[in-house]
Amino acid sequence: MGRAARAAIPFDYNNGRPGLSITDLCIWPVPAGKAVAFLKPCDLSGTAGPVREAQAYVAAHYGQKLTLREVAGAVHLSKNYFSFLFRAQTGLTFTQYVNRLRVEKSKEYLRCTSLPIVEVMLRVGFEDQSYFSKVFKQNTRLSPGQYRAQRPAS
């Protein structure tokens, strides 16, 4: 399709048309004021509720297997939009948030109980010991065993 033929394709500014390439959009004349609409910042006001709801859901279910799709469904959002909102409002991806919460909970177990590390890992929702150790160390700079060894003797 040549340039002249591309220019004849109408473009709907509100919905876009599948099949148009970035080149097609660059050569298409844009009416005054329409291009500015694409540059407006996203308005995220009024979206804190679903993220807070999701955080409460995660806090209540951190010991179970949690998926982005499941939590997004619990707050009635698509997984893509939920992921976008969550990152925009918390500064963390959903997985980073869940892992940090689980590490904090595991630190409580390691400080306050003598449960085996594998049991702690399972109680906070990790299913793989090497992944648990990796995430724990990323968040605390200590392995779970080293962290437990630091606690004061009772």
Side-chain angles (χ1 to χ4, degrees):
M1 185 181 269
R3 265 194 130 117
R6 282 191 196 139
I9 299 172
F11 182 74
D12 177 356
Y13 289 98
N14 293 325
N15 297 318
R17 277 239 176 132
L20 292 179
S21 69
I22 193 70
T23 306
D24 296 324
L25 296 176
C26 290
I27 64 167
W28 188 257
V30 179
K34 286 290 187 177
V36 176
F38 294 119
L39 302 176
K40 288 182 183 172
C42 282
D43 179 17
L44 297 177
S45 61
T47 58
V51 171
R52 277 197 296 268
E53 257 183 80
Q55 289 172 318
Y57 184 90
V58 169
H61 298 92
Y62 69 88
Q64 303 164 9
K65 182 175 179 160
L66 290 171
T67 65
L68 177 69
R69 183 182 304 273
E70 172 193 349
V71 178
V75 296
H76 312 290
L77 296 174
S78 74
K79 69 180 183 115
N80 291 334
Y81 186 58
F82 170 71
S83 181
F84 167 77
L85 277 183
F86 197 90
R87 176 96 187 238
Q89 291 182 10
T90 65
L92 299 170
T93 66
F94 174 73
T95 301
Q96 288 170 330
Y97 178 82
V98 171
N99 283 344
R100 282 191 184 178
L101 177 66
R102 286 176 170 167
V103 166
E104 287 304 312
K105 296 296 184 178
S106 66
K107 284 166 55 178
E108 289 176 30
Y109 277 113
L110 292 170
R111 268 193 316 267
C112 302
T113 72
S114 56
L115 289 171
I117 291 173
V118 172
E119 180 64 25
V120 170
M121 171 200 83
L122 293 171
R123 284 190 182 197
V124 298
F126 286 100
E127 297 175 350
D128 179 89
Q129 190 170 3
S130 65
Y131 183 65
F132 169 65
S133 294
K134 176 184 170 185
V135 170
F136 192 93
K137 197 165 191 171
Q138 284 173 345
N139 283 274
T140 64
R141 298 181 188 231
L142 297 169
S143 70
Q146 291 169 329
Y147 183 85
R148 173 174 270 168
Q150 278 188 343
R151 73 178 180 182
S154 25

